């Protein structure tokens, strides 16, 4: 219910981290969105870090890419201190300081349509008690819901972009049609000018045509600026 009416990934991220933080009484919760082009992470929302502060964290760089690779093809949340988990152990050995800096105690893979779309990180709890099995199940459920929401919002954004491009193409065809007409009128004036230059009626008509064309070009430019 808290994420059903959100309009963007940032808004969804803010709702998710707030809900997890309040439910688990966690000191720090962050949702890191996967950059599909670079397979790295950027901050979607956090109860502790601002976007500017997050940009300085190691998870926004190489450590984030390593975290992404460690969570690919995973479904369940993992304890960041789990020494028995080989991939997590290697991640901690290589980027332990980055995880500590980002207040990471529990890592939740957020999947959508079978692929990793985000990573939810949960810090220590207020009472410093460990998370229970029920807490892990709850985090997986929240992660699955968030993953579906992120994927849906991304598809909506892409659909909106496609519609905008289609609208732009249609409008461009109208602008090109108008510009071609103006070009044709000015071309006729320039072609006839050497022949009828001494004709006062032609000169008057030519000046009127040029003035009208300039006015229409300015009108087109103003419409383009509005778009």
């Amino acid at each position: 219910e808290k994420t059903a009416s959100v309009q963007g990934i940032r808004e969804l991220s803010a709702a998710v981290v707030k809900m997890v933080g309040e439910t688990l009484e966690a000191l720090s919760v962050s949702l890191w969105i996967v950059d599909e082009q670079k397979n790295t992470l950027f901050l979607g929302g956090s109860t502790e870090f601002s976007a500017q502060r997050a940009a300085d964290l190691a998870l926004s760089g190489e450590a984030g890419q390593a975290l992404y690779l460690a969570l690919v093809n995973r479904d369940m949340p993992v304890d960041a201190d789990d020494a028995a988990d080989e991939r997590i152990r290697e991640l901690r050995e290589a980027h332990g300081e980055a995880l500590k800096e980002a207040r990471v105690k529990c890592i939740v893979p957020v999947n959508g349509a079978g692929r990793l779309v985000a990573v939810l990180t949960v810090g220590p709890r207020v009472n410093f008690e460990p998370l229970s099995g029920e807490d892990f199940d709850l985090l997986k459920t929240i992660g699955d819901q968030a993953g579906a929401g992120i994927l849906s919002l991304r598809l909506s954004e892409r659909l909106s972009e496609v519609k905008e491009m289609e609208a732009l193409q249609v409008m461009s065809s109208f602008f090109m049609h108008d510009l071609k007409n103006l070009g044709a009128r000015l071309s006729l004036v320039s072609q006839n000018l050497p022949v009828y230059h001494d004709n006062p009626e032609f000169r008057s008509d030519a000046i009127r045509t040029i003035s009208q064309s300039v006015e229409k070009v300015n009108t087109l430019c103003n419409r383009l600026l509005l778009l």
Side-chain angles (χ1 to χ4, degrees):
E1 290 176 352
K2 290 182 178 180
T3 61
S5 60
V6 297
Q7 299 297 316
I9 291 178
R10 296 284 184 185
E11 188 179 350
L12 173 68
S13 300
V16 169
V17 298
K18 180 181 179 182
M19 180 170 53
V20 172
E22 292 175 349
T23 303
L24 299 181
E25 296 184 330
L27 294 171
S28 175
V29 182
S30 300
L31 186 63
W32 300 83
I33 309 299
V34 173
D35 184 327
E36 295 177 310
Q37 301 296 323
K38 303 176 182 177
N39 289 338
T40 55
L41 306 177
F42 64 90
L43 187 69
S46 176
T47 61
E48 180 175 2
F49 305 114
S50 65
Q52 183 175 0
R53 173 74 179 94
D56 297 329
L57 297 178
L59 279 189
S60 294
E62 183 181 348
Q65 188 173 38
L67 177 58
Y68 166 82
L69 294 174
L71 293 181
V72 169
N73 298 325
R74 285 181 180 260
D75 293 322
M76 293 300 297
V78 293
D79 188 339
D81 296 324
D82 186 0
D85 190 312
E86 183 178 356
R87 279 194 286 176
I88 297 302
R89 185 176 68 251
E90 291 175 353
L91 174 68
R92 193 174 66 247
E93 289 173 355
H95 302 285
E97 286 301 316
L99 296 177
K100 183 178 179 181
E101 181 186 36
R103 314 284 194 272
V104 179
K105 291 292 289 181
C106 175
I107 310 168
V108 184
V110 177
N111 295 305
R115 69 176 187 270
L116 189 69
V117 296
V119 176
L120 181 67
T121 60
V122 182
R125 306 175 81 172
V126 173
N127 53 16
F128 292 98
E129 289 184 4
L131 295 173
S132 66
E134 290 182 349
D135 293 329
F136 273 65
D137 288 339
L138 175 62
L139 285 171
K140 182 185 185 308
T141 302
I142 293 174
D144 290 343
Q145 179 72 19
I150 290 171
L151 196 62
S152 176
L153 289 169
R154 279 183 171 172
L155 291 174
S156 296
E157 289 174 357
R158 288 171 184 169
L159 180 60
S160 177
E161 289 173 358
V162 169
K163 288 182 177 179
E164 287 177 0
M165 285 300 297
E166 289 178 350
L168 182 59
Q169 289 171 356
V170 171
M171 297 185 73
S172 296
S173 67
F174 283 110
F175 282 121
M176 289 302 297
H177 179 266
D178 288 346
L179 287 172
K180 284 182 178 180
N181 284 341
L182 291 171
R185 292 176 65 185
L186 293 173
S187 178
L188 284 174
V189 171
S190 65
Q191 290 173 20
N192 290 318
L193 186 61
V195 180
Y196 300 103
H197 179 267
D198 295 331
N199 186 326
E201 186 177 348
F202 171 80
R203 288 202 304 269
S204 175
D205 186 57
I207 292 173
R208 183 168 59 255
T209 298
I210 293 172
S211 298
Q212 290 174 349
S213 298
V214 169
E215 184 179 351
K216 288 185 177 181
V217 168
N218 287 332
T219 300
L220 286 174
C221 289
N222 289 330
R223 289 171 62 189
L224 284 171
L225 285 174
L226 289 175
L227 292 175

